[in-house]
Amino acid sequence: MNGSDKTGGSGRKPRSRLETVLDHIKAQIAGGRLRPGDQLPPENDLARELGLSRTPVREAVKVLAAVGILDVRHGRGTFVTDGAHASLGQLLLFETYLTDTTPQKLMEVRRIFERSCAELAAQRRTEEDLAEMRACIERLRPLVAADPPDYDATVEADLAFHRAIYKASKNELVATLANFVSNMVSGWLRHSHANGGLADTVRLHEVMYTMIEGRNSAAARECYGADENMEYFRRVLEQAPQHDRPGKTP
């Protein structure tokens, strides 16, 4: 799938790569083809089946593991949890709320986690964390400059930067929740990119990187870091035409 916004005559925006994988796995569980205790196919096999790379498969597994649908057992594989159906019901309810949400509410949820993680990352980051953040920025830079952009690729690179910050917080509970929220709003993030939100993304990431590198936790949390990123995200969404907003998110 490329970054085009063509609807293919269906009147609906195409699903992102992450949405494609999420919908596939959820449908397998809801339809009984994957039952509690069953093991998912290897990432390579699932990616090949869906005609995608491993990256969106890996991200989808992270999302579903964060909400208790999947259990990733390192060295053994990924399995459907015993409580998968209950967790899937909660996830579908969250998706319903997300479909009807507003940019303001969405920004408020993201801000809660972005601010906390940025503050903690500035206090606790290692040189390895900084290297990962820098690599994410450099990965995003050429994607932003591409004409036309591949919006699925820009979203994946954008989220990777934020995940690096969550990881640098050194709090697995906060990082897991923040990852879940970010991945669940990836449809809105793609929408933001496609409506002008790419223009300042690299600069804003550079600002956050500088604040975290300098261990300036207050600035990372406030207007020079997370807040500026979230405010920019909100403005782009609110300025977009109502009819062009995503009707379904992952």
Side-chain angles (χ1 to χ4, degrees):
M1 182 181 297
N2 58 34
S4 172
D5 280 327
K6 293 180 180 178
T7 62
S10 66
R12 297 182 61 184
K13 298 173 79 67
R15 293 179 299 172
S16 70
R17 290 185 282 244
L18 177 58
E19 288 176 297
T20 297
V21 184
L22 285 168
D23 287 349
H24 175 77
I25 297 175
K26 288 187 298 183
Q28 294 286 307
I29 295 173
R33 291 178 290 279
L34 279 175
R35 299 178 180 276
D38 286 351
Q39 183 175 3
L40 261 66
E43 284 183 1
N44 282 336
D45 293 351
L46 190 53
R48 191 179 306 111
E49 177 184 352
L50 297 175
L52 301 171
S53 69
R54 290 180 60 187
T55 300
V57 174
R58 190 177 305 116
E59 298 312 316
V61 168
K62 288 179 181 178
V63 173
L64 297 176
V67 295
I69 294 175
L70 298 179
D71 178 21
V72 180
R73 304 174 191 172
H74 296 290
R76 296 181 57 192
T78 300
F79 297 82
V80 180
T81 65
D82 290 339
H85 283 93
S87 297
L88 182 58
Q90 294 172 347
L91 179 59
L92 294 174
L93 180 61
F94 185 88
E95 290 174 354
T96 300
Y97 288 140
L98 197 58
T99 298
D100 297 329
T101 195
T102 65
Q104 179 65 33
K105 291 179 181 178
L106 186 64
M107 181 199 65
E108 289 171 355
V109 173
R110 286 199 71 196
R111 178 176 281 171
I112 290 170
F113 293 101
E114 294 289 338
R115 296 181 76 190
S116 298
C117 288
E119 181 179 27
L120 291 173
Q123 298 169 6
R124 301 170 178 175
R125 93 311 183 265
T126 64
E127 292 302 315
E128 290 77 13
D129 292 324
L130 290 176
E132 186 173 351
M133 292 177 210
R134 170 53 55 192
C136 292
I137 292 174
E138 297 309 318
R139 171 185 166 192
L140 182 61
R141 197 183 302 278
L143 295 172
V144 170
D147 185 19
D150 179 343
Y151 293 119
D152 282 322
T154 62
V155 166
E156 290 166 9
D158 193 343
L159 288 177
F161 174 78
H162 290 277
R163 282 196 301 271
I165 294 176
Y166 308 155
K167 179 182 175 184
S169 74
K170 309 306 179 190
N171 185 319
E172 293 79 6
L173 294 175
V174 173
T176 296
L177 290 170
N179 271 313
F180 170 68
V181 170
S182 290
N183 281 304
M184 290 298 294
V185 303
S186 66
W188 281 88
L189 185 58
R190 186 186 191 280
H191 172 71
S192 170
H193 285 188
N195 284 276
L198 275 179
D200 225 14
T201 302
V202 172
R203 182 188 69 81
L204 291 169
H205 284 192
E206 289 280 11
V207 169
M208 291 193 71
Y209 175 88
T210 299
M211 297 303 105
I212 292 171
E213 180 186 36
R215 298 192 185 278
N216 191 337
S217 57
R221 178 183 178 91
E222 303 297 340
C223 62
Y224 295 109
D227 274 7
E228 186 177 359
N229 271 263
M230 292 302 98
E231 180 63 19
Y232 184 65
F233 178 58
R234 180 189 64 80
R235 288 200 307 269
V236 171
L237 290 180
E238 288 189 339
Q239 291 167 3
Q242 183 71 30
H243 64 79
D244 196 32
R245 296 181 182 183
K248 181 177 182 297
T249 52

